Each structure stands twice: as structure tokens, then as C-alpha cells.
Amino acid sequence: MTQKKTPGKHFDPHKNYRDTMKAIGYVPRAKATQSDYDRIGFKSGLEVHQQLKTKQKLFCRCPAGVYHGDNDYHAEIIRHMRPTLSEMGEYDGTALMEFKTRKEITYRINNKTTCTYEIDDTPPFPINREALEIALEISLLCKLNIVGEVHITRKQYLDGSIPTGFQRTAILGVEGEIQLKNKKVGLIQLSIEEDACREISDIGHKRIYKTDRLGMPLIETVTHPQCLNPDELREAADYIRFLNRSTGKVRTGIGAARQDTNVSCEGGTRVEIKGVSHNKWLPELSHNECFRQWALLHIKKLLLERVPDPQKWEMRHAEVDPYSLSLEHANAIGFAEKGYKVVAIALPEFHGILSHFTQPGKCFTNELSDRLKVIACIERPNITSDEDLNDPLSENDATKLAALLKASPNDAIALIWGPDEDIPTALETIDERCRMAFDGVPRETRRPLPDGTTLFERVLPGADRMYPDTDSAPIPLDEKYIEKLREGLPVDIWTRYQQLAQMQIPEDSHAYILRRNLVPVIEEIVALGFPPRFVGALFGHRLKRIEGKYPMHNDFTYHKLVDLFRFLKDNKIHHSLAKLMLPVIYQHPNMDFNSVLTSINFKRRTADELLAPVDYLVEKFKEIKIAKKDRPENVVNWVMGQLHKQALGNIDPAELYSRIKERIG
Amino acid sequence: MEDIFQGYKGRALEVLKKFNVRVWGKAIIDTSRGEFQGTVLPRAENDDDTHIVLKIATGYNIGIDIFTIKSMKEVGYYKATYKIPEKEFPYTPNLPNVKLLGTGGTIASRLDYRTGAVIPAFSPGELYGAVPELADICNLTTEKLFAVFSENMGPEQYKALAVAIGKEIENGIDGIIIGHGTDTLSHTAAALTFMVQNPPVPIVLVGSQRSSDRPSSDAALNLMHAAYTAGHSDIAEVMVCMFGPTSDEYGFLHRGTRVRKMHSSYRSTFRTIGDTPLATVNLKDGIKPIKETYNHRRKDRKVKVLPYFEEKVSIVYYYPNMQPDIIDSLVDNGYRGIIIAGTGLGHVNKPLYSAIERAKKKGVHMFMTVQTLWGYAHMYVYDTGRDLMAKGIIPAENMLPETAYIKLGWVLGQTDDPEEVKRLMLTPINDEITLREPYNGYLIYQGGVPEVEEFIRKFRK
């Protein structure tokens, strides 16, 4: 050890990032197989949030589903949150973390959507029975054991997203299941709860919310962590979504359904990714989270090799003046100019850890940086080091700081900055997170990003944050009431899948049909005597494409199609014409069906009339044909193409085809 | 012996006994609705006897219908000890010494399983555990005088409080806080204003509108504001310290005789009526007086404690078509004083005249206040007022009805002489009657009016 290695010298953080990514055996999701997931012990479950379609909010009489802009408010109210004890006598970890952040929370209130209840200036009114009933129906569909008495519970949230500091929520059922293609996934519970505020901004110590969504009825369906690969997770999420929608009593649209997913790897910890608004994002997010944990376990192994007794590990720090030290790092100098404190930190034996791979494009430094932002309220950039992937300390800077901190070559050197009063929390935060690295994976909730990676959001709350709502009385659910609800339930989603298969409706349209709860509509049309396969494809293919192309008229409902088919039947028009009529009806649902026919230039023709020009067309085809091989199908297909449009509604296209074929011989 | 079936009664109790499962026992329950697992919790006493409360693994509580239970088995036991972490309240030499006298209420509290209600936490150690900031404000000691809800406060408690305050002042305390439920906080504040006169230190009554078992409670901030006022304020009067706006911004200090609870649940429920509050308080800016004159803090210990109260006093809230038997029954039941809250400038209907005359003859002392709350009783304006005065009703100027009730009880506790009663009633002790009403003393914002909307939008509520 005579030859002293200067930190930073000959060390390429990017190479280290790539090497460590390889060392843990990271594979991108496109290339990952079940054996990869088995190797790292992928396990995940879901918490699916679904807003219910009620007129009013859950615990007050404000309208539900009315939203307003960020600056459209009548009053502002400011609150701070303090942790309280749970009824089991414990303080909750998240609660203490949020208290540490000392946030000032402002609520923007609009009188149209918010009363004194939302802002915790009046106790709750009795629970919205309409919402309770919808939630119970869904609980029954999930085959849950329904409780005998509903107890409103307070679930503590100190981030300010709910002005009371807790969410009123209640369990309706426990231990149910859903049937996926290849397995059953167990459900832990289903609860009814009030939705939270929408965040407007969160900068430094100030966070602003609006209260329009606050208090809207929501259910949360929680699965056991039984999904063993990202695709199963997606399938389970879709299943629950379709199930919720099959009642026709839940909200749809942006933000009406949101998923949290719990992910862990073998030896890892349950980490919750919160607020995933699209199911299609779940696979990538869960994949990356599982590998992030796998990487953190690798970091743990490396650290324990270097520091067998983590109790003795100690971080060192010193406040620095970037000017007198003539530091080169632009951020450090810029922030010092703003009056921020700049602090150098030595993390013993962390050399090579800060740039250790954690997620695609991210390394262990991000774990620190995210927490500095959330816990110490220091906006990013808030940290750099000689291992930073984007804006590292120069070798000169690193050498100076290493000397200042008497760091050894195996130590990592970092620099942080921030407002004076936030520095103590910042140092505590870094110390705490580094110590956690010796234990592996911290329990936390994470925020999803569009690129499939996640950010630290807060410490994962435990059961310690629950306590009974002393403002509400328990609500008994007697047998008669439950039985009555059971009688009116819609068909099970698993049964729906089987029905769709039986009706030979193309599989690629199943998701579309179930997401919109269209089976009952299809059944109605089929009952009129139309072929299921055609009707299914009309929805799952044709309508799907139309939806992507044209804006939907406000008055359009899927039920319009029942009227359409009834019209076709009554007028003895072949159902194939529905394909042409649909785009018109979609955009002009109030148009009379006869006018629709006019607008698409439909003319009634007999089969003979349709087939009359065949000979002429055959001649024409000979003139324009380009294919060298003159196969008989070519001419038939071409003629069919010419006649197809006018034939729609007049004759079954298959019949037309065979008659053309006959004629041409 | 410990109650192992806390709160359970009737049929639910029978079920627990039958299957030998205790409260706090971990149970597996097989029911016709499936299996449930969790810890059996105590049941609120007023709830029915057909459900058992269970805390399940995820922390939620649920109820099990006993008629669905096929079998139950206790497989473990864990009793929760709910305790606010108690830490010794640190003593800081340069900080003022403040005494907190407890009467009940929810300034700091914990849950009670039997009633589902909250129970106050009180020792300095508990308070320090819950609101550590207090140690930066003062050196706090506490004494629990009673543990009653606000509505159960009455003359006995007023007198005991007055005596206790006198003793604390004598012992050299720098300020006094009284923790109190909010419902009758202003009644107690009025009583103490009359019973503890000329105090050399602040006497601050404080409560909370949202129980302190919730993160957004106003309790902690109210307590900090009250502690700051008691320890550092120059205003040596009986005051009520509660939220100014509903936001966590600042508290108002209200005079004990002019304050009233004006909303059943708002945090900013207390308002000074017919005048402005004394001052605002917050930890950043300290005390900012609004009133120019007030009684200043003194070094001496000269306080006058007058713990008297006649309980046979009543308030009659007049309503149209009130019948004379209302007054008659009070007189027949031996009531010696009646405060009338009359309509408008201080009126009641003619049918009451005979009853009023009869009461007067029996020596009942009657004073007129107004149910409009704002404004004075002006009984010369209409004939009715003159008639009533002729029959012996004395207008009590702009005294609030509740304050007048407390004051009459206090006065009648000392004398029965009509002239002396009148003199004492109409001689203000601390602004229960004011000579003038300032123009900013009456401010009720009418929502919806553009300028009000603009104001509300601009300032935090």
C-alpha cells in the first residue's frame, strides 16, 4: 500500500457502472426469461385503486368527479402535520420522516368541490351508501370474505395529501382470489377509502395541493405477492381493472384507476411503486425494481466484505468554502454564491459503490440524491462525487477534498450543498442511507417514471399508522343485505374470457371488450340473431380503430350499436354494412339511421344487380394487371374488391365472393 | 381483577367466553363468510352486542358478526400499551415558569377503547413527548384539577380553579395555562375574569377543536401559543387563546368576557364579539397587540380571588309566542336571577308581562341582553322596552348573554341587595360591557360578495 492511489485517478465511473451491471447479471426486459426472474426471485403484487362512479364524495355531500385548474381557487389554507401514536402505541417510521421534512402545506380550495369536511373543519358525515354498495358488489365479485361490520379506520399520511393527516378507509372483505390464464392469484383485502388531494407543486419546504379530488370514493384491491414475472403482474392488473369495470359503476378516464405495485427479489424487501396510471407500464417498472434490489444486495455483499462490522462504520464531513479551496466544480461554486452551505463528505470504503449500477441509467448516488430531495428538501442537483455519472468532481477537486477529509483510497468523496438549515438533515439522511446499504434493501415507496425507473418517495409505512376513526360509528352488514347484493352481480371476468372464446371472438379484441365492459352489449346484439364473431370484431377491431382516429361525440354510447343492429334487422340490411355506418354513428350519434345510410351512399341492390358488371371488370383487369403470373384468385380478388363496398349491406360478402368465383369459373 | 373482555356485553360476550378468547388475544375465526384472523380489540361500550372487533394483519379493524361464527380459537396474545413517550421535561434557567392546570378536554390525548373516545394525556413528560417545542418556550409544570368534559364544567369547578390560580400566583408563577374543552371555554373564561381580579400574570385558557390524536390537530399549536402567551406576554388578563384563521398561522388572544364559540367544528371557532381581539400570537412574531389598552404584567402578587357563585340563575332565550309559564316555573323553582336574551334591541312579547311583574315582586333579578349578540340592549327606543324596564328588567348594555349569566351568578353569590346587584352587574370588570363599540368590532363576512371573495382568496383562511 505504499503507492497511494488518488481517488478519481484511473477510475472510470461509467465503466464501473457497466461492470457492476454485468456483475449482478442484469438483463433488459425484452431479453429476460422466466429463468432470469427465477434466478433473482421476482415476486410482486398489486394494490389497485379504482374510483367509484357516485354523485357525491364518500364522507361529505360535495360533488364527486368535478375538477378545476391549479389557479381556479377561492381560498388557501395552510397546515403542518405532526406524527401521532397508533393505537398499538407506536410512532410510524414514515410519519417521523415526514415530520423531519418540516413541510408547509397549502391547500387551494374551490367552493364548488370542497366544503369544511375536506379541510378537516367539520367531522365526517355518514358514509355514502351508494359508494359502499358498489364496493361491496366488487368485493363479492372478488370472492372475498365479507366483514360483519365495517369499521372506519384512519390511515396516517403526513405528506399533506390529505388535510386531516389521515385517510378514512375501511376493510370490506379479506382473502379472495382472481383466476388468471394459468394460475389463481390471492387477494389480501379490499377497502373503501377517500381519494387524496392532487399535488400542484413541491419545491423546497413548500408543497401545494388542490382539493377537488380529495374525498372521492375509491376502492383498493390488494393482491398477495404471487406474480412471479412482470407479465403475470400485468395480467392480474388487467383482470382487476376489467372486473371493476364489469359493474358499470366505476369511473373511467385519466386518474380514475391507479395501481401501486409491491416488488421484491430473493433476499430483498417489499418496495412499493406508487401511482402507476397505466397497466402497460407495470412490467418495465417491476422488472427494474427487482433488479435494483438485486443490485443493492450486491452492494451489501461488497460492503460487508470491506467492513465486517458495520457498527464501526462512520461517515466524516467538513464544511468547505469552494473559493478558498479553489474548487473547480461549477455547481458547488454556484450554490456557495447563492449562500448555500457546501459540505464535503467521506464515505469510508464506499469507493466504487456510488457508481454501482442500480437501475438503467442510475447508480447508488441516485439513492442518496433522491433522499436529499425528499427528506432534506434540497432540490436537485444536490450531490456530486468523484464517481458521478453526469457531472463528477474533477481529479483536482477530489484530491483536495480527500486530503481535507483525510480519506483513504477506498473511501468515496462526495460534495453536497443546500440551505444552511437543511444541512443537518441532509447529513443525517446520507449517513442513514449509507448505513442501510449494509442491510440491503430499505423499505420504501417509490415514484414511477415514464422510462421505467423509479425515484425514492418515502419510507414504507407499516401497520403502525392505523387507528380507529373515533368520529364514525361501525356499520353492520347483515346476511340479508349481502345476499341481496349477491343476486345482482355481473358475470365473473374469468367466465367472460371463456364466453368470448366460445363465441369465437378474436383473442386480440378481448382486452378492449372487457376494459369497456362490452360483453353485455355484444350479448344483446347476438340475441338479435347476429354472428358473435362479427359483432366482437366490430367492437374489438373496427371500433377500436375508429376511437383512435376520430374524437368521440359526447352522446355516443356503446349501446347505440344495439340500436344499429336492430335497425339493420328491421330493414333486412346485411350486418356487414355496420362497418361503414359505425364511424358516422360514432361522430354523429344523434343522426337518424336512414340519414346515416344516405351519408354513406348506400343503395339497395339485388345480387344480380351487383354481379352484373363482373364480365366487364374481368376485361378491365386484363388491361391493368401487372402480375406476371395470372392466377385465377387474382382476378376474383380484384373483382371482389371493386364490388365489395356496394355489396356491403346487400349481400353477405362471403356469398358474393363465391358467386364471383362461380361466374368467372 | 383485569377485565379480559373489555367493553363486550350480552351475546358477543357469551361468544367470547364460549370459545375462550380474550381481548388482545390473537384469534382465528371460522365463519359462514369465510375465515378471519386478527387480534380481538376492546369494544366501545355503546356499540351493539352482536359483533366482535378484530385488528387484522394489515392494521385495519373489522367487525365479525357473531351469528356467522362457527368457531374461534385463540392462538396468541399481544396487549398494546398505548403511551405517549414520556420524557422528562427539561428545565432551562432563563425561561419563564408556567403552570398548566388541567380540567379535561383534548389538548393532548390518547384513545380510550371502551368508549372509542380520546382521553387526555397530561403530565409534563407526556406533553413534552407529544409537543417537544414546549421546552423551548417555558419551564412547564402541570396539575390535573379535574377530568371533565367541557359541558360538565360548572360553578364548583370555577371556584376551585380560581382558588388554584390564586395559589399559583402567590407561589410566584410567571403565567398560567388552563387546558379546557372548547364547548364552554368562554363561560369559564368569563367566570375566571370575575373571580380572579387584578392578576399580575397572564391566565390563558386553551383547548383544541381537532383532537390531538390526529396529525392535523390544532392542539399542539394552540398549546405552544398558550405557553408562549403565559410565559412571555405582557397582557396580564384572563384570555382565551385559540386559532385565528383555520390555517396553522397564528392564534388570537380574546378577552375572557367578550369571547364566544361561533362554529360547532371550525378551528377558528372563537371570536371576540362586539370588539376586537386583544392580540395575535405566533412563535415567529410573538405577541402583537390589537387593543391599545390592557392590563400589564406586574412583579407584585396582589391578586383578588372572589370565588362566589349562586347556582339559581338561568338564561331565557326568548322566542315568539313564549308563554308566561316559562318565567313562572323558574320563579316557582326558586330561581333568583334571570338573564333574558331578547329579540332586537331587547324585547319579549306582552303575554310575559304578568310573569315578569310577578317575578319582580318575588325579588328575582332580571337583566336584558340581546340574542343578536352584536350590539347593545337599547330599551328606550320602543314602548316594549320601556314597559319592560318599568316592570323591573335592567338592560345589560352589550354584555353577551352567557357572560351576563356567569356574572349574575357570581354577583348573586355575594349579595341580594337589588341596588348592589345592579351596580355590580353594570360596572364592567374587564370589558364585559364596553362604553363604545368600534366599527371593526362587527365583522361578519358575507361570502359570495366580490370584495369578500377577493379578500378570502388573497389571505389564508
Side-chain angles (χ1 to χ4, degrees):
Chain A
M1 291 292 283
T2 43
Q3 200 192 351
K4 208 170 174 188
K5 192 174 76 179
T6 317
K9 210 174 216 170
H10 312 303
F11 181 79
D12 177 1
H14 290 276
K15 183 173 178 299
N16 187 46
Y17 165 84
R18 288 190 303 271
D19 289 348
T20 49
M21 179 155 84
K22 214 167 152 192
I24 68 154
Y26 178 82
V27 274
R29 197 172 90 79
K31 289 187 185 158
T33 61
Q34 187 59 45
S35 73
D36 288 309
Y37 295 120
D38 291 343
R39 167 170 62 87
I40 64 173
F42 181 100
K43 233 165 58 171
S44 80
L46 284 162
E47 295 173 16
V48 179
H49 301 267
Q50 171 68 58
Q51 289 179 343
L52 305 178
K53 202 158 67 195
T54 58
K55 284 186 201 72
Q56 296 179 344
K57 291 184 176 180
L58 190 56
F59 289 109
C60 69
R61 291 75 177 256
C62 282
V66 177
Y67 297 122
H68 59 80
D70 289 355
N71 290 308
D72 182 14
Y73 62 92
H74 296 115
E76 279 188 321
I77 287 172
I78 186 165
R79 294 273 156 79
H80 304 95
M81 299 291 161
R82 301 178 71 87
T84 62
L85 287 173
S86 82
E87 65 183 323
M88 299 311 254
E90 319 277 337
Y91 276 117
D92 182 66
T94 329
L96 289 176
M97 182 203 98
E98 296 283 354
F99 191 46
K100 219 186 259 178
T101 61
R102 289 173 291 120
K103 286 269 184 194
E104 182 180 278
I105 297 146
T106 303
Y107 299 100
R108 292 192 173 163
I109 314 298
N110 185 307
N111 287 328
K112 283 190 200 110
T113 62
T114 305
C115 68
T116 49
Y117 168 71
E118 282 95 333
I119 213 67
D120 194 30
D121 262 328
T122 206
F125 298 92
I127 196 166
N128 181 333
R129 295 304 290 216
E130 187 190 5
L132 183 63
E133 192 152 314
I134 299 170
L136 282 168
E137 279 179 36
I138 294 173
S139 304
L140 288 168
L141 280 174
C142 293
K143 302 180 177 61
L144 289 151
N145 305 337
I146 307 295
V147 302
E149 198 180 46
V150 179
H151 283 243
I152 315 288
T153 303
R154 297 174 177 179
K155 188 189 218 176
Q156 199 167 289
Y157 280 96
L158 276 86
D159 59 358
S161 58
I162 303 189
T164 40
F166 55 75
Q167 180 183 43
R168 287 194 167 87
T169 158
I171 294 292
L172 301 184
V174 300
E175 294 306 328
E177 64 181 31
I178 52 173
Q179 173 68 54
L180 304 187
K181 239 179 264 157
N182 299 317
K183 68 193 279 188
K184 278 183 176 161
V185 169
L187 300 179
I188 296 176
Q189 62 187 30
L190 185 145
S191 57
I192 187 166
E193 54 193 38
E194 44 187 358
D195 209 340
C197 287
R198 295 198 288 162
E199 188 181 294
I200 292 176
S201 65
D202 178 17
I203 300 159
H205 291 273
K206 283 185 198 300
R207 194 177 285 156
I208 303 176
Y209 288 107
K210 55 182 170 182
T211 54
D212 48 4
R213 196 183 67 186
L214 173 68
M216 281 174 61
L218 195 70
I219 52 165
E220 185 194 59
T221 311
V222 186
T223 74
H224 281 283
Q226 290 168 345
C227 300
L228 301 182
N229 64 54
D231 294 319
E232 275 181 13
L233 186 68
R234 164 87 198 259
E235 196 192 344
D238 280 346
Y239 191 98
I240 293 169
R241 176 168 289 198
F242 301 160
L243 181 148
N244 291 340
R245 290 192 178 181
S246 72
T247 60
K249 296 171 184 172
V250 301
R251 283 185 191 275
T252 54
I254 296 165
R258 295 159 344 240
Q259 286 68 235
D260 301 345
T261 177
N262 299 308
V263 182
S264 67
C265 74
E266 182 69 41
T269 309
R270 185 173 83 95
V271 164
E272 189 175 316
I273 303 170
K274 280 190 96 75
V276 183
S277 40
H278 293 288
N279 287 346
K280 63 179 178 212
W281 292 346
L282 287 168
E284 192 71 22
L285 287 163
S286 57
H287 171 89
N288 283 334
E289 173 53 26
C290 198
F291 273 105
R292 188 186 71 93
Q293 296 192 16
W294 196 242
L296 291 178
L297 292 177
H298 187 246
I299 289 174
K300 169 186 173 175
K301 185 174 144 256
L302 292 177
L303 286 174
L304 287 177
E305 279 165 16
R306 300 177 193 179
V307 188
D309 183 3
Q311 297 287 339
K312 289 187 183 141
W313 184 86
E314 226 162 298
M315 164 182 123
R316 293 191 302 280
H317 72 272
E319 194 186 333
V320 296
D321 175 357
Y323 298 104
S324 64
L325 270 179
S326 321
L327 288 187
E328 292 162 3
H329 198 268
N331 274 333
I333 294 162
F335 285 119
E337 244 164 38
K338 275 192 203 161
Y340 276 15
K341 248 190 189 175
V342 180
V343 181
I345 296 170
L347 303 168
E349 304 298 331
F350 266 62
H351 182 68
I353 298 295
L354 292 185
S355 53
H356 190 294
F357 168 87
T358 51
Q359 307 179 71
K362 291 183 175 173
C363 59
F364 188 77
T365 306
N366 294 84
E367 302 276 317
L368 301 177
S369 175
D370 291 352
R371 281 184 181 239
L372 285 178
K373 156 74 181 130
V374 175
I375 301 176
C377 301
I378 303 175
E379 295 299 316
R380 280 176 286 251
N382 47 27
I383 186 168
T384 186
S385 69
D386 53 345
E387 296 185 29
D388 202 280
L389 293 180
N390 302 313
D391 188 12
L393 288 173
S394 66
E395 275 192 40
N396 277 340
D397 283 2
T399 310
K400 278 179 204 163
L401 296 173
L404 182 80
L405 292 162
K406 299 191 174 64
S408 87
N410 288 332
D411 301 349
I413 303 296
L415 206 56
I416 63 163
W417 45 75
D420 201 354
E421 64 273 17
D422 294 329
I423 292 296
T425 312
L427 289 170
E428 234 175 80
T429 304
I430 290 184
D431 181 67
E432 189 181 54
R433 181 62 188 87
C434 288
R435 286 176 190 278
M436 285 173 175
F438 291 94
D439 291 331
V441 187
R443 292 166 57 82
E444 56 194 36
T445 68
R446 301 185 64 84
R447 180 179 287 209
L449 296 177
D451 68 0
T453 65
T454 55
L455 289 177
F456 170 77
E457 189 170 60
R458 62 175 91 101
V459 177
L460 188 69
D464 284 344
R465 61 175 175 158
M466 314 290 293
Y467 46 125
D469 182 24
T470 47
D471 301 330
S472 312
I475 307 149
L477 303 174
D478 62 46
E479 283 298 297
K480 254 196 234 152
Y481 177 59
I482 298 296
E483 281 317 309
K484 203 188 102 221
L485 288 180
R486 211 184 282 278
E487 281 163 23
L489 291 183
V491 178
D492 201 77
I493 291 298
W494 173 244
T495 314
R496 286 292 192 218
Y497 271 119
Q498 288 170 322
Q499 282 176 325
L500 289 172
Q502 232 165 36
M503 290 194 276
Q504 292 184 309
I505 289 173
E507 206 180 319
D508 62 356
S509 61
H510 290 186
Y512 179 89
I513 289 166
L514 292 172
R515 192 177 305 129
R516 286 161 182 75
N517 193 29
L518 293 174
V519 180
V521 183
I522 293 173
E523 281 176 330
E524 244 184 281
I525 296 171
V526 170
L528 294 171
F530 293 99
R533 191 185 162 84
F534 173 82
V535 179
L538 186 73
F539 279 100
H541 294 160
R542 183 77 175 149
L543 185 56
K544 186 181 179 185
R545 215 163 303 134
I546 293 169
E547 273 186 1
K549 219 164 150 188
Y550 307 108
M552 193 205 282
H553 190 284
N554 279 340
D555 292 345
F556 178 81
T557 62
Y558 296 112
H559 217 259
K560 268 269 170 244
L561 273 81
V562 181
D563 300 339
L564 167 65
F565 276 96
R566 200 170 286 127
F567 171 84
L568 294 175
K569 189 180 178 190
D570 291 349
N571 290 279
K572 300 198 171 56
I573 296 173
H574 190 267
H575 56 257
S576 54
L577 192 66
K579 281 189 187 174
L580 295 186
M581 293 175 79
L582 192 53
V584 184
I585 294 163
Y586 182 78
Q587 295 172 84
H588 310 285
N590 299 320
M591 197 189 268
D592 174 89
F593 286 124
N594 280 309
S595 310
V596 176
L597 291 182
T598 313
S599 80
I600 58 169
N601 293 319
F602 172 70
K603 294 204 175 54
R604 281 185 190 271
R605 290 187 173 90
T606 62
D608 291 341
E609 281 171 334
L610 285 165
L611 290 164
V614 168
D615 294 340
Y616 163 76
L617 287 168
V618 170
E619 285 309 306
K620 185 141 193 203
F621 178 76
K622 283 175 184 157
E623 283 169 31
I624 59 165
K625 64 162 182 167
I626 33 165
K628 287 205 174 119
K629 274 190 250 161
D630 196 9
R631 290 191 304 165
E633 301 97 274
N634 287 0
V635 62
V636 175
N637 287 343
W638 188 81
V639 172
M640 175 73 188
Q642 298 302 304
L643 297 179
H644 179 251
K645 202 171 168 197
Q646 22 183 323
L648 283 180
N650 287 312
I651 183 171
D652 181 354
E655 192 192 331
L656 178 72
Y657 188 82
S658 58
R659 286 184 68 170
I660 294 171
K661 213 169 154 188
E662 225 172 81
R663 280 274 296 268
I664 296 173
Chain B
M1 208 190 86
E2 198 188 7
D3 179 7
I4 57 168
F5 300 113
Q6 246 178 301
Y8 285 95
K9 61 192 174 192
R11 290 167 286 184
L13 179 64
E14 289 313 309
V15 171
L16 286 175
K17 281 183 174 165
K18 179 178 158 197
F19 292 107
N20 221 351
V21 176
R22 296 165 286 175
V23 163
W24 304 117
K26 286 191 173 160
I28 298 175
I29 307 179
D30 185 26
T31 78
S32 57
R33 289 191 192 175
E35 187 187 274
F36 296 90
Q37 293 192 24
T39 304
V40 177
L41 291 185
R43 184 141 175 101
E45 267 171 357
N46 294 327
D47 289 347
D48 67 32
D49 69 341
T50 55
H51 294 88
I52 288 167
V53 189
L54 213 57
K55 178 173 281 293
I56 60 176
T58 47
Y60 284 86
N61 293 357
I62 60 172
I64 307 292
D65 185 337
I66 57 164
F67 302 118
T68 63
I69 294 177
K70 294 185 204 156
S71 71
M72 277 176 89
K73 199 176 157 202
E74 187 177 294
V75 292
Y77 186 83
Y78 174 75
K79 189 176 176 182
T81 47
Y82 186 103
K83 213 167 163 269
I84 292 174
E86 191 159 349
K87 294 181 195 157
E88 201 182 330
F89 201 98
Y91 180 82
T92 315
N94 293 323
L95 288 180
N97 298 320
V98 169
K99 183 79 172 207
L100 170 60
L101 299 174
T103 66
T106 54
I107 192 72
S109 55
R110 65 185 182 84
L111 271 171
D112 176 14
Y113 279 107
R114 283 180 311 125
T115 59
V118 281
I119 285 187
F122 191 67
S123 75
E126 285 171 333
L127 284 176
Y128 179 58
V131 191
E133 295 97 321
L134 286 173
D136 301 328
I137 300 172
C138 63
N139 294 311
L140 191 70
T141 50
T142 63
E143 186 182 342
K144 191 187 273 174
L145 292 180
F146 344 100
V148 297
F149 287 124
S150 190
E151 58 271 23
N152 298 325
M153 288 291 291
E156 279 320 302
Q157 286 78 23
Y158 302 155
K159 289 190 266 187
L161 258 175
V163 171
I165 291 168
K167 215 183 283 164
E168 289 300 329
I169 291 174
E170 214 172 280
N171 291 340
I173 203 79
D174 295 317
I176 291 164
I177 306 172
I178 295 151
H180 200 294
T182 55
D183 283 2
T184 65
L185 183 64
S186 60
H187 297 75
T188 305
L192 293 178
T193 309
F194 305 134
M195 291 181 180
V196 183
Q197 293 184 18
N198 200 36
V201 299
I203 298 166
V204 190
L205 289 101
V206 67
S208 75
Q209 280 288 87
R210 294 280 93 75
S211 62
S212 58
D213 61 351
R214 67 174 71 195
S216 64
S217 168
D218 52 339
L221 201 53
N222 274 330
L223 193 55
M224 285 186 258
H225 288 158
Y228 185 86
T229 306
H232 301 269
S233 170
D234 180 44
I235 309 172
E237 296 186 11
V238 175
M239 295 171 269
V240 167
C241 173
M242 291 287 288
F243 265 38
T246 184
S247 288
D248 288 358
E249 295 238 282
Y250 60 86
F252 274 140
L253 299 178
H254 302 276
R255 257 189 186 130
T257 54
R258 294 228 64 87
V259 62
R260 202 169 186 281
K261 187 174 184 179
M262 298 303 287
H263 194 281
S264 65
S265 57
Y266 253 61
R267 285 140 220 265
S268 49
T269 174
F270 282 91
R271 286 295 179 254
T272 289
I273 308 291
D275 206 342
T276 62
L278 270 167
T280 59
V281 54
N282 75 28
L283 297 182
K284 232 189 293 163
D285 309 319
I287 313 268
K288 280 191 168 168
I290 296 172
K291 299 281 288 178
E292 285 171 14
T293 54
Y294 54 81
N295 298 330
H296 295 267
R297 185 190 278 274
R298 309 187 312 270
K299 285 262 182 294
D300 70 65
R301 298 284 119 185
K302 286 178 201 149
V303 59
K304 216 159 51 166
V305 178
L306 304 160
Y308 309 112
F309 206 94
E310 166 54 58
E311 301 196 14
K312 285 288 190 185
V313 174
S314 179
I315 303 187
V316 172
Y317 192 96
Y318 173 74
Y319 49 88
N321 197 36
M322 183 181 268
Q323 300 298 309
D325 53 1
I326 296 285
I327 305 284
D328 286 340
S329 60
L330 285 173
V331 176
D332 295 343
N333 281 301
Y335 276 77
R336 292 181 52 216
I338 299 173
I339 298 296
I340 300 171
T343 53
L345 294 163
H347 305 133
V348 297
N349 62 3
K350 268 221 169 83
L352 291 193
Y353 283 14
S354 60
I356 288 166
E357 280 166 6
R358 180 171 170 258
K360 179 68 187 168
K361 246 179 241 157
K362 294 245 176 167
V364 177
H365 307 271
M366 288 171 288
F367 290 83
M368 180 64 77
T369 60
V370 292
Q371 44 185 254
T372 57
L373 301 181
W374 271 271
Y376 291 75
H378 283 289
M379 299 182 70
Y380 287 103
V381 178
Y382 295 103
D383 283 348
T384 309
R386 293 169 200 233
D387 290 346
L388 290 172
M389 285 196 294
K391 293 175 198 317
I393 292 182
I394 302 163
E397 304 254 2
N398 67 343
M399 213 185 314
L400 295 171
E402 298 86 358
T403 304
Y405 158 77
I406 294 283
K407 190 166 185 191
L408 187 56
W410 173 74
V411 168
L412 293 180
Q414 300 169 73
T415 176
D416 203 23
D417 173 52
E419 278 313 304
E420 183 61 5
V421 171
K422 182 178 175 184
R423 188 188 68 78
L424 282 171
M425 279 301 282
L426 299 185
T427 312
I429 287 156
N430 196 12
D431 273 2
E432 65 271 28
I433 292 171
T434 60
L435 294 177
R436 324 168 44 235
E437 184 183 2
Y439 255 90
N440 56 0
Y442 172 75
L443 282 179
I444 300 179
Y445 297 124
Q446 185 64 66
V449 178
E451 60 266 34
V452 172
E453 290 302 313
E454 199 189 322
F455 168 80
I456 288 174
R457 196 177 193 274
K458 217 178 292 169
F459 293 92
R460 281 160 184 159
K461 293 230 305 164

